[in-house]
Amino acid sequence: MEESGAISRRLVLKSIAGLAVASEGILTAQRAAATAAPARFPQPAVTASRSASRSASGPATRTVEQTLDVRFTDVDIPGYGPITTRTYNGAVPGPTLRLRAGDTLRLTHVNGLPPNPPFHHGDHNTPHHANSFNLHTHGMHVSPSGDADNVLREFAPLTEEDAALDAPEPQYTTTICVPADHPAGTYWYHPHLHGSTAEQIVGGMAGVIVVEGDIDEVPEIEAADDVVVCINELKLRDGEVPAFTSGSWVTGVPSVFTVNGAVNPAIRLRRGEVQRWRLVAATAFTALRLQLSADERYLTMHQIAQDGIGFAEPVARTAVVLAMGNRADVLVRGDEPGRYELRADGVDDPLMTVVVTEESVDPPMQLPAALPPGRPFLDEGEITGPDREVVLHVDPEVFDGAFPNAYRMLGSNATPPADPDGDLTRDTAYGRFDPEYVNHTLRLGDVERWTVRTDETVPSHGHPFHLHTNQFLVTHRNGEPLDPPVWHDTVGLAGGAPGDSVTFLVRYQDFTGIALAHCHQLHHEELGMMQIVEYVEP
């Protein structure tokens, strides 16, 4: 698998003073060219920050306020047709939230879904409570506690008794204070209540978060159209999302891939025009190796960020690899006129079509030579804590019933077995998610080294690893050092002989509380491939 940050290490410390002195004449021409581009490509609704009143103790604060109303909605998917699914505010995807470092995000969640069944008779690591949810701001460095990015909360619907009494629909509040030094970049939000996450995300419950900042002020980027490309993977049968009732659900129900709520929408790009695409893999089960091609021709994607962290310079790619949950910001410039398709390996149909027109931009829009450094690297000399290992492992046919396989996270601090003296491959608890067991206690300020690997033998069986709250710096893949290393919050691991491994460094910063580390193949996470991490004061 390609690593998404093949940039020169020496450029991390390169001065960016020259970024602000681009020719005003060229910049004006580029802005005018971008403004004139036809706007035919679907974009989610946008909520942006606004200034609040100035307080006596400091400057005015900025807030983003949004109601996220969740209920079953009849939605028309252009290119597919009508579906009925759980949505944010009646649309797939939900609204894009645009904010800046230092802002406060205030969300009101309305649960208009039907009551859950009164009892769940299965293991907690099986699907349940499909009409309860919560909120995760995936990739953001914010508090995991209280009413912030706390995925242990439950936003439950009315009970059957309250619904019979016509009680008002329940509302819940999320308040997230974004740090003043938060990296500018592309993030996303989705529900994360254990037991209901997979079914809700494949119904389209997802939305994009844009943190604006220094990279957006680079003249060549500021001049480009800023385009959200949110790729959803929907599981649909007869226009509905069937309930997650068996382990064969993933392969037995076909996936429908949409971009901003449409099947294969078209975007126009003039020759010489540059657009900035925010690629979001809001997929539950499918990794995406993306290419822009027309017959034997390719449009180059110049990657400028991975998982919200900017590169030091654009990196030219013919393919961009996104595991489930990854994001990549790319600049795309119109070249030879024609129809190009954004395709993903293993997905039959194109995700979107790019029409490069004969009309040209004069002068052609330019790509930046350098970018603001997104985040300084960590060094192994900074390691203060213990090394940790995580092995993503599946034991088949452990359980009777509809969900026979045991999805485990083994290695350092694995969840203890129910029977330490028994056959661990048949154990019902070993290495599986236990909400009462803290697998990793992580002290603020520590820098630690983790090695995460999969022992899957089939290459297509992947386990993307996601750590909440703190981004991590991938330094090695399959034992080979990366030069330079790459910041991630989610990293893909393909199976094979041997399966993939990554080594990363991570510093635990700013926030205490309970968070999660898990496989972001959501079938696996839902069935137990997840651990508790607790960030504590030193």
Side-chain angles (χ1 to χ4, degrees), residues 7-15 312-313 370 373 377 483-485:
I7 55 180
S8 170
R9 181 191 297 273
R10 65 180 179 274
L11 284 172
V12 173
L13 301 178
K14 188 172 182 178
S15 169
E313 65 178 355
F377 292 156
D483 188 11

Side-chain angles (χ1 to χ4, degrees), residues 17-36:
L19 294 175
V21 295
S23 165
E24 185 61 32
I26 293 176
L27 178 57
T28 300
Q30 291 184 3
R31 286 173 174 159
T35 302

Side-chain angles (χ1 to χ4, degrees), residues 31 70 148 291 302 320 348 367 411 476 538:
R31 286 173 174 159
V70 176
Q291 290 188 297
H302 302 270
V320 172
D348 292 337
L367 299 171
H476 294 73

Side-chain angles (χ1 to χ4, degrees), residues 223-244:
D225 249 357
D226 189 331
V227 182
V228 166
V229 180
C230 184
I231 303 169
N232 289 91
E233 177 181 18
L234 310 180
K235 286 288 186 182
L236 299 174
R237 178 181 288 151
D238 299 326
E240 297 181 336
V241 181
F244 191 177

Side-chain angles (χ1 to χ4, degrees), residues 9 50 102 148-149 184 206 213 256 265 332 335 338 387 396 399 420 427-428 439 446-447 488-489 505 529 537:
R9 181 191 297 273
R50 60 179 177 80
D149 185 36
V256 175
V332 179
D335 191 7
D387 285 358
F399 306 109
D427 195 89
T428 58
N439 299 88
D446 277 359
V447 175
H488 286 264
D489 55 62
L505 303 178
M529 196 173 268
E537 293 287 353

Side-chain angles (χ1 to χ4, degrees), residues 253-272:
V253 180
S255 291
V256 175
F257 292 89
T258 64
V259 170
N260 298 338
V263 173
N264 191 19
I267 190 168
R268 293 185 180 273
L269 185 63
R270 289 169 297 167
R271 198 169 189 174

